[in-house]
Amino acid sequence: MASISDIAVDLGTSQILIYMKGKGIILREPTVVAIDRDTRDILAFGEEARRMIGRTPGNILAIRPLRDGTISDYELVSYMLKSFVLKAIGKHMFARPRAILALPTSVNEMEKRSLISTMFDAGMRRTQLLNRSLAAALGAGLPMDEAYGTMIVDISAGVTDIAVMSFGKVIVSDCAKVGGDRFDDAIIRHLRRKHNLLIGERTAEALKINIGCAIPRNEQLYMEVTGRNLITGLPKTMRITSDDISEAIDDPVQQLIESIHGVLEHTPAELAADIFEYGILLSGGGAELFGLCEAIADALKVPCSCAEDPQNNVVMGCGRALENLHDLGQFLDDGRRRLMGR
């Protein structure tokens, strides 16, 4: 019989979420690690490390070891995953709970096996993987046992997973290198080029969240930001408009639309007809960008909507599978076969 400590984990590019059976989401932390540049000692992780970004002395690095949906530093990711799991469930002397794990799509097979091994070291008796698109669909409440096509677009920080599904199977999919981080980078470049103002990642993210928009707003919003004047080298405060942000992120928005278009082009005709009727569902944190649904719908002439709780769709989908293994266990990939190299 399953332990009450069974968990579901969404290891995303920008944050990790952990769901515990019977309790819901019990942990949400940024996937950031602070290390000593000289000794490689780990000084902090999670929210404590995130607060250090852009504010550390030269010998301390606050980094995200998951970038663009891939693992840039496996040792740090492994340490971070194990630490978060232990923080969520504590140490068990006898009980070894099971886990369902959703990983960035671009993580390769060797890294998947290694992360499953890390979960075992953290106290899991068994770890199964769940495809991120399927997890997002489950979390959004899409029907998984009906014979018509649905398209889900999960926009995370690093990448966007685009999938067309029918009968609980992914029929056509793509992983686009466009996500929240690309929007932030575009904002930084735009303000540097247009206003000679240098800002950091956290300021760019705040601009995106507070006044960002994929299409111009009817009522323009403003936000005061402080950065460094690239001409004088001195601090400078400037009022940035929502139109500035719309202009800044236009290129990555168009790249995202082109990627969705590419998947639709390779979708079988009957399933494409279903999508044109029922529409596209956006999931992930990036789905909350103002006007993104309208921009996609206008460009592709396909209805588009945002999931009710987009940031939590993946972990809630994993949690739904955890709570209902009898009916949804068919969607899980057994990690034990991976550990044996099969």
Side-chain angles (χ1 to χ4, degrees), residues 127-147:
T127 299
Q128 294 171 284
L129 302 183
L130 180 58
N131 176 281
R132 287 192 71 83
S133 294
L134 287 175
L138 283 170
L142 291 181
M144 303 298 288
D145 56 355
E146 298 185 14

Side-chain angles (χ1 to χ4, degrees), residues 64-341:
R64 284 169 43 190
L66 282 153
R67 298 291 297 186
D68 297 328
T70 60
I71 295 175
S72 59
D73 190 316
Y74 170 74
E75 289 184 4
L76 290 181
V77 170
S78 180
Y79 170 88
M80 188 171 57
L81 177 60
K82 183 176 179 180
S83 299
F84 283 132
V85 170
L86 289 174
K87 180 178 179 180
I89 68 171
K91 294 184 178 180
H92 293 259
M93 291 295 292
F94 304 106
R96 292 180 70 88
R98 69 188 296 162
I100 294 174
L101 177 63
L103 297 170
T105 304
S106 301
V107 173
N108 62 43
E109 289 298 314
M110 183 178 297
E111 290 168 339
K112 288 178 182 177
R113 289 196 295 269
S114 298
L115 290 174
I116 291 171
S117 180
T118 296
M119 293 290 285
F120 182 82
D121 292 341
M124 301 296 108
R125 78 175 188 273
R126 183 183 185 187
T127 299
Q128 294 171 284
L129 302 183
L130 180 58
N131 176 281
R132 287 192 71 83
S133 294
L134 287 175
L138 283 170
L142 291 181
M144 303 298 288
D145 56 355
E146 298 185 14
Y148 64 81
T150 57
M151 173 180 268
I152 189 158
V153 179
D154 184 58
I155 310 168
S156 64
V159 295
T160 294
D161 292 302
I162 308 166
V164 173
M165 293 176 288
S166 179
F167 256 127
K169 301 290 184 183
V170 175
I171 309 301
V172 186
S173 65
D174 187 27
C175 181
K177 296 293 185 181
V178 183
D181 290 343
R182 193 66 62 89
F183 293 148
D184 296 344
D185 292 342
I187 292 170
I188 292 171
R189 289 196 306 271
H190 179 78
L191 295 187
R192 184 173 55 207
R193 182 178 63 250
K194 185 175 180 179
H195 299 298
N196 291 312
L197 183 71
L198 180 62
I199 61 171
E201 292 179 12
R202 292 185 63 181
T203 302
E205 184 180 23
L207 283 166
K208 177 186 67 180
I209 293 171
N210 293 318
I211 65 171
C213 49
I215 57 176
R217 294 176 182 264
N218 292 330
E219 183 178 346
Q220 189 151 203
L221 300 181
Y222 304 88
M223 182 173 165
E224 301 281 344
V225 299
T226 300
R228 189 172 78 239
N229 188 315
L230 291 173
I231 297 176
T232 66
L234 299 175
K236 178 182 179 180
T237 299
M238 176 174 287
R239 172 180 281 193
I240 304 300
T241 70
S242 54
D243 282 353
D244 269 325
I245 306 305
S246 175
E247 182 183 350
I249 65 176
D250 183 64
D251 281 347
V253 166
Q254 295 307 316
Q255 291 170 23
L256 175 61
I257 291 172
E258 288 172 11
S259 296
I260 298 172
H261 185 208
V263 172
L264 284 172
E265 284 185 322
H266 291 89
T267 299
E270 291 80 4
L271 297 181
D274 292 337
I275 294 167
F276 275 84
E277 180 179 355
Y278 297 110
I280 299 167
L281 184 68
L282 301 188
S283 175
E288 295 181 309
L289 179 68
F290 178 88
L292 185 57
C293 283
E294 290 82 353
I296 293 172
D298 184 60
L300 301 178
K301 310 305 179 189
V302 181
C304 185
S305 61
C306 181
E308 185 175 337
D309 188 14
Q311 288 198 37
N312 297 330
N313 281 160
V314 171
V315 74
M316 292 304 294
C318 292
R320 184 179 169 193
L322 189 69
E323 301 276 3
N324 193 12
L325 285 170
H326 182 268
D327 294 327
L328 301 178
Q330 59 181 308
F331 300 121
L332 302 177
D333 182 1
D334 196 339
R336 287 183 294 191
R337 293 199 301 270
R338 293 178 184 275
L339 285 178
M340 293 186 291

